[in-house]
Amino acid sequence: QIRVKEDGSGVVTDNVKNIVPEFLSLLRGYIDSSDIPLNVSRSSLQGDPTVKRISGYIVKKVAESLKKLWVSDREKYESIWSDTGLFIKYGCVSDEKFSDLMRERIIFKNSENKYITLPEYLESVPETYKEKMEDKVIYFEKDKSDISLRNQLFTEGIHTIEIDDYIDPHFMQHAEMKKISDKQLKFTSVDSEIANILGTENATENDAKIKDLFQSILAPKKESTEKEEKQENPFGNNDLEIEVQNIKNSTTPAFFKVDEQMKRLSKMTMSMGNSPFPVKKTLVVNPSNPLILNALKISEKENKQELVEKICHYVEDLAYISSEGLKVENRDTFVKRSQELISDLTTLAL
């Protein structure tokens, strides 16, 4: 509410836009001012320069109060973050002055479930990986990213920050456009970056065989006419890509990698109310994993093609389960395939 102090104090209005920004809509209280005329239309009041100064003052005082709390009682600051974080991030995205005061005090949960700022994240990168990481911030999508990839990075002392699908994509884009602690940050997902950080060049003669095996079963190349090639959707998930990559500390048979820019573009279309276009995925296969090596050995035996196909599809299913999960229509197929696979494998042991 806006209260005017003149001959007789009175409430002008309960809802004046542009005085209290949307991201501060949780605030409750009165604003006392002797500078706002009583007999004025609401539209004129919203465009009044005094109102704009009041709005700027409110934003500044809120930011200064949060900064003071950050310095004096960080534990309390963190304890209220689940309630205030969304609005503070929204404030940074929508108000330049608020962003200048607050973006270095935006906090995220790291791999140890502790709150850290982005400057603290950069400081936490082990010296061994600082050159590879540069000013990258690796993020982990809550309920979507593969937790095993996050754990593999953490084994090397590299944290990831947890993000959601609501305000974080917008804040990350905003933060990349602004320097934080004189650093030009670059956000990248754990699946798209882990191979660049922990990937090794210890290729073996089996790598090409493994790629050919999974390619032939999961993503066989289809012959297409010239007309079909012209009509092919450049954003479509027309073919699954297969990649073989040795990754340090990896015990995962395979995981899905999605191009960072394509992922963001898909999220942007969703935020605009449109259906997300299919994003092409790459199945990254770990050639050191026992399951993968055994699949290759079995494929070299006669009359075992059906078993090998089940194993390869099972590896693909595991990759889906480890990330965003299986779609409802695919769950029944997974259960049946798992039962058949276990039955076949136990038969071999007899």
Side-chain angles (χ1 to χ4, degrees), residues 259-276:
D259 178 75
E260 180 67 26
Q261 297 306 314
M262 294 294 289
K263 184 183 297 184
R264 293 195 189 193
L265 188 57
S266 180
K267 289 182 180 296
M268 184 177 67
T269 59
M270 288 181 64
S271 67
M272 296 171 65
N274 300 319
S275 299

Side-chain angles (χ1 to χ4, degrees), residues 42-75:
R42 178 172 295 186
S43 60
S44 298
L45 188 60
Q46 290 175 4
D48 188 277
T50 302
V51 172
K52 292 182 179 179
R53 288 197 298 271
I54 292 174
S55 178
Y57 178 78
I58 294 171
V59 169
K60 181 180 178 182
K61 292 300 291 184
V62 170
E64 288 177 348
S65 296
L66 288 169
K67 285 175 63 178
K68 184 178 180 180
L69 179 61
W70 168 264
V71 173
S72 63
D73 193 347
R74 176 164 174 171
E75 185 176 348

Side-chain angles (χ1 to χ4, degrees), residues 283-319:
L283 183 67
V284 182
V285 181
N286 176 12
S288 301
N289 183 270
L291 179 58
I292 304 301
L293 291 173
N294 289 339
L296 178 62
K297 292 177 182 177
I298 295 173
S299 70
E300 295 172 345
K301 298 181 179 180
E302 295 182 1
N303 302 322
K304 298 296 181 181
Q305 184 61 27
E306 186 176 350
L307 175 59
V308 173
E309 289 181 3
K310 291 177 183 177
I311 294 175
C312 289
H313 282 290
Y314 187 74
V315 169
E316 182 184 23
D317 289 339
L318 291 177

Side-chain angles (χ1 to χ4, degrees), residues 125-188:
V125 176
E127 195 66 36
T128 309
Y129 293 101
K130 283 190 181 295
E131 185 176 350
K132 281 188 175 182
M133 293 276 293
E134 298 179 26
D135 295 329
K136 293 177 181 176
V137 178
I138 304 177
Y139 67 85
F140 175 88
E141 294 179 278
K142 187 177 180 179
D143 300 325
K144 289 187 177 181
S145 294
D146 191 330
I147 188 66
S148 66
L149 304 183
R150 189 183 204 190
N151 293 337
Q152 288 164 32
L153 285 174
F154 188 53
T155 299
E156 292 296 306
I158 302 172
H159 286 276
T160 57
I161 62 168
E162 183 180 280
I163 70 164
D164 58 40
D165 266 343
Y166 303 104
I167 189 63
D168 285 335
H170 304 285
F171 175 77
M172 291 190 301
Q173 184 176 0
H174 170 79
E176 287 178 334
M177 298 170 63
K178 306 290 182 180
K179 286 190 175 182
I180 296 181
S181 295
D182 296 325
K183 302 289 186 180
Q184 200 74 48
L185 302 184
K186 172 69 175 178
F187 290 84
T188 181

Side-chain angles (χ1 to χ4, degrees), residues 220-287:
K221 294 298 182 181
K222 300 177 182 178
E223 294 184 3
S224 58
T225 65
E226 184 177 346
K227 182 179 180 180
E228 289 175 334
E229 290 176 354
K230 289 181 179 180
Q231 293 178 342
E232 184 178 1
N233 179 6
F235 300 117
N237 192 17
N238 299 295
D239 293 301
L240 175 69
E241 297 289 336
I242 304 294
E243 180 180 312
V244 175
Q245 177 69 61
N246 279 282
I247 296 178
K248 188 177 181 181
N249 300 324
S250 178
T251 58
T252 306
F255 67 91
F256 281 111
K257 178 176 70 174
V258 180
D259 178 75
E260 180 67 26
Q261 297 306 314
M262 294 294 289
K263 184 183 297 184
R264 293 195 189 193
L265 188 57
S266 180
K267 289 182 180 296
M268 184 177 67
T269 59
M270 288 181 64
S271 67
M272 296 171 65
N274 300 319
S275 299
F277 56 78
V279 177
K280 182 172 288 188
K281 297 183 177 182
T282 299
L283 183 67
V284 182
V285 181
N286 176 12

